[in-house]
Amino acid sequence: NAGVTQTPKFQVLKTGQSMTLQCAQDMNHNSMYWYRQDPGMGLRLIYYSASEGTTDKGEVPNGYNVSRLNKREFSLRLESAAPSQTSVYFCASSEVATSEHTQYFGPGTRLTVL
Amino acid sequence: GENVEQHPSTLSVQEGDSAVIKCTYSDSASNYFPWYKQELGKGPQLIIDIRSNVGEKKDQRIAVTLNKTAKHFSLHITETQPEDSAVYFCAAHRNTGKLIFGQGTTLQVKP
């Protein structure tokens, strides 16, 4: 039981390049989330998927797109990377998207945009 | 929207002392308040949480208190150990699927 896994662990991009961050969970959770973590700003929600087939914007969705591929997988895409998107990205999942359920986090992807 | 303020940003204590981290939230509809610990190079892990119908919760050396009237909640760690050194985040949730995090506190426990 691996929990939440993320690939890649590290990535360096040039401005304007695109990439997709992958996330998968094996806990049969319905809800999945993408956060970014920047120094002094905590974690900020980019997008979330309350259930398979639905996605919603979080606090900082601009410049990102997401796909809930199936119940297990939730990907985050940067179409044209910018230096402001240099950050550590975390995926999380929970049984459902209500307050009674804990969010479990993956190990993160450290992204640098030059 | 919801805003969560966390203080202090850094905290250094001697091993065996207590550590207290405080958070305030703005949305009175928030009803769930988890605390996460993040070790270097890892994702955040839940260490304790409290719901709005409870004033205090303890788990061994860790306790959380909630004051709904004042809209603040605190994490208390007693008998600190070097392995408690990490970044701690508070968060608030109002049943919409969105956790709003504080800015984080870097706790250093000196042996």
Side-chain angles (χ1 to χ4, degrees), chain A residues 4-109:
Chain A
V4 179
T5 57
Q6 293 182 234
T7 56
K9 285 186 167 51
F10 301 94
Q11 184 71 49
V12 179
L13 292 178
K14 294 181 180 178
T15 297
Q17 287 185 317
S18 62
M19 79 160 295
T20 300
L21 283 65
Q22 305 287 354
C23 173
Q25 51 90 10
D26 63 2
M27 295 176 281
N28 201 35
H29 285 169
N30 290 290
S31 304
M32 299 184 73
Y33 314 81
W34 276 105
Y35 292 88
R36 60 178 287 173
Q37 182 177 26
D38 302 293
M41 302 191 75
L43 290 97
R44 293 179 292 170
L45 183 66
I46 305 171
Y47 271 95
Y48 70 106
S49 171
S51 60
E52 189 178 355
T54 69
T55 59
D56 285 289
K57 295 178 180 180
E59 297 174 78
V60 288
N62 291 345
Y64 305 96
N65 286 302
V66 290
S67 295
R68 183 74 183 268
L69 303 170
N70 48 55
K71 191 173 185 179
R72 289 186 62 248
E73 299 172 290
F74 188 36
S75 63
L76 178 72
R77 183 160 178 85
L78 287 70
E79 290 291 351
S80 179
S84 61
Q85 294 178 305
T86 293
S87 188
V88 182
Y89 292 85
F90 289 99
C91 177
S93 71
S94 65
E95 191 170 335
V96 293
T98 58
S99 59
E100 288 77 19
H101 295 91
T102 303
Q103 291 188 19
Y104 296 87
F105 285 79
T109 294

Side-chain angles (χ1 to χ4, degrees), chain B residues 45-63:
Chain B
Q45 279 197 309
L46 180 76
I47 55 171
I48 196 167
D49 56 17
I50 191 166
R51 286 163 175 77
S52 57
N53 59 348
V54 176
E56 184 176 4
K57 183 177 178 180
K58 288 184 180 179
D59 182 3
Q60 299 182 10
R61 297 185 296 107
I62 294 173

